Amino acid sequence: MKNKQNRRVIMILFSVIFLIGAGIMIWSYALLPKDANQALEKIVKKKPQAVISVGILDNGKEETYIYTANGREDYQPYTYQIGSITKTFTGAMTAYEQAKGNLKLTDGNPSLEKLVTHTSGLNDEWEQEIAKNPNFTFSRQELYDYVDALTLTESSFQYSNIGSGLAGARVAEIYGKDIGESFCSYQEAMNHFLTNELGLTETKVGGIGDFKDNWIWQDNDEMMAGGAMTSNVTDLLKYGQLYFNNDSRYDYLQNAVTRLADVNDSYGIGMFWILDDNNDMIWHNGEINMEAEDGSEAGSQCFIGISPGRQKVVVVLSNVICNLQEDTSYTDMLGYMLMDE
């Protein structure tokens, strides 16, 4: 890796990933893997250092394994940075506080509904700042002041990490008060929520995971809401199952995956979750992308897909960046393939 001052981070923009599905056929058919095994083989052929963790929960039956250049191996609970999948947890916390009556989606300017659906008019100024200075951080008040100084025009879907950070900061402030804390950073609030409300033990905000190429987040940076979580396959399978189990404690999660806006003709969006009605699935992906010493991309890619109708969850976590074309990752394609099996 280069010196930290030369690192850059890019949270994957899922607005360009929608070529998956029907649109993917615009590419040469010869480029496409024919099944999940071939997709895995293509990743490790391109990236021999790849360690890909796969989890499938299908009608109560769980399957987990690792795939490397040596082929399929027994599962080990490797921890990965999961990038923008973090945003779905912000959506879950938003739905939790909404159900308790502590917030409304119309609250704030821009409103929480506009923030969680990427329709606030905010773009990614933060990425420009972080590219110039990898140690750039936002305290809560700095983030509030920064956005307050902008003149915003509501827009159609426009992916925004800074909008995600603002949503996370607002909801974390409400959650902190809910648990009796005078101040709770996003990191503190979300880690409490993960443990005490979702019952997850291996997922947290902050940390670097088990692999060498990681983004180093500064503690209590409010932009952590954009993508600072680490997790493993088994915890994410458990998380996905919460969206369709029969435990009334998690009924609020249904609000997180209720369609609030359109992304395009094929996809809707809930509280950060992408809704693919044609394939009976909600999903999100994530990427932490840095520049290695040789100028190549390094970092991690991941995917989680949930089908409440089919009682199915698929999780794919990878320690490498590997794209079919410039904007479509193999992990996304693999996730879709495994959901369809």
Side-chain angles (χ1 to χ4, degrees):
M1 298 297 296
K2 290 185 176 180
N3 184 282
K4 287 182 184 177
Q5 274 63 39
N6 293 326
R7 288 181 177 178
R8 61 187 176 87
V9 62
I10 302 172
M11 302 306 169
I12 197 164
L13 309 187
F14 53 61
S15 58
V16 296
I17 301 303
F18 294 139
L19 294 175
I20 292 175
I24 205 168
M25 300 311 295
I26 65 174
W27 297 322
S28 169
Y29 184 75
L31 290 175
L32 300 177
K34 305 301 187 292
D35 55 35
N37 284 333
Q38 192 175 101
L40 286 163
E41 290 169 2
K42 284 181 176 289
I43 297 173
V44 297
K45 184 176 181 180
K46 289 173 176 283
K47 304 281 185 174
Q49 74 275 30
V51 179
I52 307 157
S53 294
V54 176
I56 304 166
L57 180 67
D58 193 354
N59 278 297
K61 181 180 178 181
E62 184 173 309
E63 178 183 9
T64 55
Y65 60 90
I66 306 293
Y67 200 92
T68 72
N70 295 322
R72 183 164 167 158
E73 302 178 8
D74 290 341
Y75 177 73
Q76 297 183 53
Y78 290 125
T79 298
Y80 298 76
Q81 291 190 321
I82 62 172
S84 289
I85 289 178
T86 302
K87 295 176 174 69
T88 72
F89 290 90
T90 300
M93 183 186 281
T94 302
Y96 174 80
E97 291 297 341
Q98 179 193 38
K100 296 189 73 174
N102 293 331
L103 64 80
K104 297 179 181 178
L105 291 183
T106 54
D107 291 346
N109 183 28
S111 71
L112 277 171
E113 182 169 347
K114 295 297 182 182
L115 293 173
V116 300
T117 57
H118 297 289
T119 56
S120 67
L122 286 165
N123 57 30
D124 272 321
E125 296 96 340
W126 172 77
E127 288 193 356
Q128 300 169 25
E129 296 290 343
I130 207 75
K132 292 184 291 187
N133 175 15
N135 295 315
F136 180 82
T137 62
F138 268 126
S139 69
R140 181 167 296 162
Q141 193 58 52
E142 287 170 340
L143 181 56
Y144 287 170
D145 291 345
Y146 181 86
V147 175
D148 284 345
L150 300 175
T151 300
L152 299 178
T153 302
E154 290 185 6
S155 68
S156 57
F157 181 89
Q158 182 179 11
Y159 192 88
S160 174
N161 279 306
I162 199 165
S164 305
L166 181 60
R170 287 182 181 172
V171 177
E173 184 173 0
I174 293 167
Y175 183 83
K177 293 176 182 177
D178 194 14
I179 62 174
E181 296 291 339
S182 58
F183 179 84
C184 247
S185 67
Y186 177 84
Q187 182 178 18
E188 293 165 334
M190 181 54 73
N191 282 336
H192 187 280
F193 178 74
L194 290 167
T195 301
N196 294 279
E197 304 302 338
L198 296 181
L200 301 179
T201 58
E202 304 300 326
T203 304
K204 68 176 183 178
V205 179
I208 60 172
D210 289 328
F211 302 95
K212 69 173 185 177
D213 297 321
N214 297 282
W215 183 254
I216 309 300
W217 291 91
Q218 304 299 313
D219 281 347
N220 298 322
D221 178 3
E222 290 298 272
M223 283 304 300
M224 282 182 156
M229 279 191 183
T230 58
S231 190
N232 63 26
V233 158
T234 51
D235 231 32
L236 288 176
L237 288 177
K238 181 179 178 181
Y239 171 56
Q241 189 177 21
L242 296 180
Y243 284 84
F244 57 76
N245 72 13
N246 295 319
D247 190 331
S248 61
R249 290 177 299 171
Y250 305 108
D251 285 350
Y252 63 89
L253 291 175
Q254 297 309 305
N255 290 334
V257 295
T258 297
R259 192 185 192 98
L260 297 173
D262 294 326
V263 175
N264 56 27
D265 291 340
S266 300
Y267 298 91
I269 184 168
M271 296 184 188
F272 292 118
W273 282 104
I274 297 302
L275 314 179
D276 181 351
D277 296 332
N278 291 333
N279 290 290
D280 183 26
M281 181 169 67
I282 61 174
W283 66 277
H284 209 297
N285 57 13
E287 179 173 305
I288 297 291
N289 189 323
M290 295 169 288
E291 190 173 288
E293 292 178 354
D294 62 2
S296 63
E297 293 179 308
S300 60
Q301 287 177 319
C302 53
F303 174 92
I304 181 170
I306 305 168
S307 175
R310 287 176 280 164
Q311 302 274 291
K312 188 170 184 178
V313 184
V314 167
V315 176
V316 182
L317 306 178
S318 173
N319 68 325
V320 296
I321 307 294
C322 191
N323 296 325
L324 176 68
Q325 298 281 46
E326 181 179 357
D327 293 322
T328 300
S329 73
Y330 271 96
T331 49
D332 294 333
M333 182 178 297
L334 180 58
Y336 259 73
M337 289 176 168
L338 291 170
M339 286 296 298
D340 286 339
E341 286 186 348

